[in-house]
Coordinates of all heavy atoms in Angstrom, one line a residue:
I345 N 54.1 136.3 161.5 CA 54.2 137.0 162.8 C 55.6 137.0 163.4 O 56.4 136.2 163.0 CB 53.2 136.3 163.8 CG1 53.5 135.0 164.1 CG2 51.8 136.5 163.3 CD1 52.7 134.3 165.2
H346 N 55.8 137.9 164.2 CA 57.1 138.1 164.9 C 58.0 138.9 163.9 O 59.2 139.1 164.2 CB 57.9 136.8 165.3 CG 57.1 135.9 166.2 ND1 56.1 135.1 165.7 CD2 57.2 135.7 167.5 CE1 55.6 134.4 166.8 NE2 56.3 134.7 167.9
M538 N 62.9 130.1 179.2 CA 61.9 131.1 178.9 C 62.5 132.4 178.1 O 61.8 132.9 177.3 CB 61.4 131.6 180.3 CG 60.6 130.7 181.1 SD 59.1 130.1 180.1 CE 58.4 129.0 181.4
L541 N 62.4 131.4 174.6 CA 61.0 131.4 173.9 C 60.5 132.9 173.9 O 59.3 133.0 173.3 CB 60.1 130.6 174.9 CG 60.2 129.1 174.7 CD1 59.3 128.4 175.7 CD2 59.7 128.7 173.3
G542 N 61.2 133.8 174.4 CA 60.7 135.2 174.4 C 61.5 136.2 173.6 O 61.2 137.4 173.7
T546 N 64.4 132.8 168.1 CA 64.1 131.5 168.8 C 62.7 131.5 169.5 O 62.3 130.5 170.0 CB 65.1 131.4 170.0 OG1 65.1 132.6 170.9 CG2 66.6 131.3 169.5
S547 N 62.0 132.7 169.5 CA 60.6 132.7 170.0 C 59.7 131.9 169.2 O 58.6 131.6 169.6 CB 60.2 134.1 170.2 OG 60.1 134.7 168.9
L548 N 60.0 131.6 167.9 CA 59.2 130.8 167.0 C 59.3 129.3 167.4 O 58.6 128.4 166.9 CB 59.7 131.0 165.6 CG 59.3 132.3 165.0 CD1 60.0 132.5 163.6 CD2 57.8 132.5 164.8
S549 N 60.2 128.9 168.3 CA 60.5 127.4 168.6 C 59.2 126.9 169.2 O 58.5 127.5 170.0 CB 61.7 127.3 169.5 OG 62.8 127.9 168.9
K550 N 59.0 125.6 168.9 CA 57.8 124.9 169.5 C 58.3 124.0 170.6 O 57.6 123.9 171.6 CB 57.1 124.1 168.4 CG 55.9 123.4 168.8 CD 55.1 122.8 167.6 CE 55.8 121.9 166.7 NZ 55.0 121.3 165.7
Y551 N 59.2 123.2 170.3 CA 59.9 122.4 171.4 C 61.3 122.9 171.7 O 62.1 123.1 170.8 CB 60.0 121.0 170.9 CG 58.8 120.2 170.8 CD1 58.0 120.1 169.5 CD2 58.3 119.4 171.8 CE1 57.0 119.4 169.3 CE2 57.1 118.6 171.6 CZ 56.4 118.7 170.4 OH 55.3 117.9 170.3
V552 N 61.5 123.3 173.0 CA 62.8 123.7 173.4 C 63.2 122.6 174.4 O 62.7 122.5 175.5 CB 62.8 125.1 174.0 CG1 64.2 125.5 174.6 CG2 62.3 126.2 173.0
H586 N 57.3 121.6 180.8 CA 56.6 122.7 181.1 C 55.9 123.3 179.8 O 56.6 123.6 178.8 CB 57.5 123.8 181.6 CG 58.4 123.3 182.8 ND1 57.9 123.5 184.1 CD2 59.5 122.7 182.9 CE1 58.8 122.9 185.0 NE2 59.7 122.5 184.3
F587 N 54.6 123.4 179.9 CA 53.8 123.8 178.6 C 53.4 125.3 178.7 O 53.0 125.8 179.7 CB 52.6 122.9 178.6 CG 52.9 121.5 178.4 CD1 53.1 120.6 179.5 CD2 52.9 120.9 177.1 CE1 53.4 119.3 179.2 CE2 53.1 119.5 176.9 CZ 53.4 118.7 178.0
V588 N 53.5 125.8 177.4 CA 52.8 127.1 177.3 C 51.7 126.9 176.2 O 51.9 126.5 175.2 CB 53.8 128.2 176.7 CG1 53.1 129.5 176.6 CG2 55.0 128.3 177.6
T589 N 50.5 127.1 176.7 CA 49.3 126.8 175.9 C 48.6 128.0 175.3 O 48.8 129.1 175.8 CB 48.3 126.0 176.6 OG1 47.8 126.7 177.7 CG2 48.9 124.6 177.1
R590 N 47.8 127.8 174.2 CA 47.1 129.0 173.6 C 48.0 130.2 173.3 O 47.7 131.3 173.6 CB 46.0 129.4 174.5 CG 44.9 128.3 174.8 CD 44.4 127.7 173.5 NE 43.1 127.1 173.6 CZ 42.9 125.8 173.5 NH1 43.8 125.0 173.4 NH2 41.6 125.4 173.6
T591 N 49.2 129.8 172.7 CA 50.1 130.9 172.4 C 50.4 131.1 171.0 O 49.9 130.2 170.1 CB 51.4 130.7 173.2 OG1 52.2 131.9 173.1 CG2 52.2 129.5 172.6
T592 N 51.1 132.1 170.5 CA 51.4 132.2 169.1 C 52.5 131.2 168.7 O 53.3 130.9 169.6 CB 52.0 133.7 168.8 OG1 53.0 133.9 169.7 CG2 50.8 134.7 169.1
M593 N 52.4 130.8 167.4 CA 53.4 129.9 166.9 C 53.7 130.3 165.5 O 53.0 131.2 164.8 CB 52.9 128.4 167.1 CG 51.7 128.1 166.3 SD 51.1 126.4 166.7 CE 52.5 125.4 166.1
D594 N 54.6 129.5 164.8 CA 55.0 129.8 163.5 C 53.8 129.7 162.6 O 53.1 128.7 162.6 CB 56.1 128.7 163.1 CG 56.7 129.0 161.7 OD1 56.3 130.0 161.1 OD2 57.6 128.2 161.3
T595 N 53.6 130.7 161.8 CA 52.5 130.7 160.7 C 52.5 129.5 159.8 O 51.5 129.0 159.4 CB 52.6 132.0 159.9 OG1 52.7 133.2 160.7 CG2 51.5 132.1 158.9
D597 N 53.4 126.4 160.5 CA 53.3 125.1 161.3 C 51.7 124.8 161.5 O 51.1 125.7 162.2 CB 54.0 125.3 162.6 CG 54.1 123.9 163.3 OD1 53.2 123.1 163.1 OD2 55.1 123.7 164.1
S599 N 50.4 122.2 162.9 CA 50.1 121.3 164.0 C 49.3 121.9 165.1 O 48.8 121.1 166.0 CB 51.3 120.7 164.5 OG 52.1 121.7 165.2
G600 N 49.1 123.2 165.2 CA 48.5 123.8 166.3 C 47.0 123.8 166.2 O 46.4 123.1 165.4
I601 N 46.4 124.5 167.1 CA 44.9 124.6 167.2 C 44.2 125.6 166.2 O 43.0 125.5 166.1 CB 44.5 124.9 168.7 CG1 44.9 126.3 169.1 CG2 44.9 123.8 169.6 CD1 44.4 126.7 170.5
S602 N 45.0 126.4 165.6 CA 44.5 127.3 164.5 C 45.8 128.0 163.9 O 46.8 127.7 164.3 CB 43.6 128.4 165.0 OG 44.3 129.3 166.0
L603 N 45.5 128.8 162.9 CA 46.6 129.5 162.2 C 47.2 130.4 163.2 O 46.6 131.2 164.0 CB 46.1 130.3 161.0 CG 47.1 131.0 160.2 CD1 48.1 130.0 159.5 CD2 46.5 131.9 159.2
N604 N 48.6 130.3 163.4 CA 49.4 131.2 164.3 C 49.2 130.8 165.7 O 49.7 131.6 166.6 CB 49.1 132.6 164.1 CG 49.5 133.1 162.7 OD1 50.4 132.7 162.2 ND2 48.7 134.1 162.2
Q605 N 48.4 129.8 166.1 CA 48.2 129.5 167.5 C 48.3 128.1 167.8 O 47.8 127.2 167.1 CB 46.7 130.0 167.9 CG 46.4 129.9 169.3 CD 45.1 130.3 169.7 OE1 44.2 130.2 168.9 NE2 44.9 130.8 171.0
G606 N 49.0 127.7 168.9 CA 49.2 126.4 169.4 C 49.9 126.5 170.7 O 49.6 127.3 171.5
S607 N 50.7 125.5 171.0 CA 51.4 125.4 172.2 C 52.9 125.2 172.1 O 53.4 125.0 171.0 CB 50.9 124.2 173.1 OG 51.2 123.0 172.5
K608 N 53.7 125.3 173.2 CA 55.1 125.2 173.2 C 55.4 124.3 174.5 O 54.7 124.3 175.4 CB 55.8 126.5 173.3 CG 55.6 127.4 172.0 CD 56.2 128.7 172.2 CE 55.9 129.7 171.0 NZ 56.4 129.2 169.7
L609 N 56.6 123.6 174.3 CA 57.0 122.8 175.4 C 58.4 123.3 175.8 O 59.3 123.3 174.9 CB 57.0 121.4 175.1 CG 57.6 120.4 176.1 CD1 56.7 120.3 177.3 CD2 57.9 119.0 175.6
L610 N 58.7 123.5 177.0 CA 60.1 123.7 177.5 C 60.4 122.5 178.3 O 59.8 122.2 179.3 CB 60.1 125.0 178.4 CG 61.5 125.2 179.1 CD1 62.7 125.2 178.2 CD2 61.4 126.4 179.9
D658 N 42.3 120.6 167.9 CA 42.1 121.0 169.3 C 41.4 119.9 170.1 O 40.6 120.2 171.0 CB 41.4 122.3 169.4 CG 41.7 123.1 170.7 OD1 42.6 122.7 171.4 OD2 40.9 123.9 171.1
D708 N 51.7 118.9 168.1 CA 51.5 120.1 168.9 C 51.7 119.6 170.4 O 51.0 118.7 170.8 CB 50.1 120.6 168.7 CG 49.9 121.8 169.8 OD1 50.4 122.9 169.6 OD2 49.2 121.6 170.7
P709 N 52.6 120.1 171.2 CA 52.9 119.7 172.5 C 51.7 119.4 173.4 O 51.5 118.4 174.0 CB 53.9 120.7 173.1 CG 54.6 121.3 171.9 CD 53.5 121.4 170.8
A710 N 50.9 120.4 173.5 CA 49.7 120.2 174.4 C 48.6 119.3 173.9 O 48.1 118.6 174.7 CB 49.1 121.6 174.7
T711 N 48.4 119.3 172.7 CA 47.4 118.4 172.0 C 47.9 117.0 171.9 O 47.2 116.0 172.1 CB 46.9 118.9 170.7 OG1 46.6 120.3 170.8 CG2 45.9 118.2 170.1

Side-chain angles (χ1 to χ4, degrees):
I345 59 174
H346 304 78
M538 292 297 183
L541 283 173
T546 60
S547 67
L548 288 170
S549 304
K550 182 168 61 173
Y551 290 89
V552 175
H586 306 272
F587 294 85
V588 182
T589 62
R590 296 311 201 248
T591 189
T592 54
M593 64 186 298
D594 185 2
T595 302
D597 191 331
S599 66
I601 61 175
S602 66
L603 183 69
N604 296 329
Q605 188 178 25
S607 66
K608 298 178 185 292
L609 174 73
L610 172 57
D658 199 19
D708 172 77
T711 305

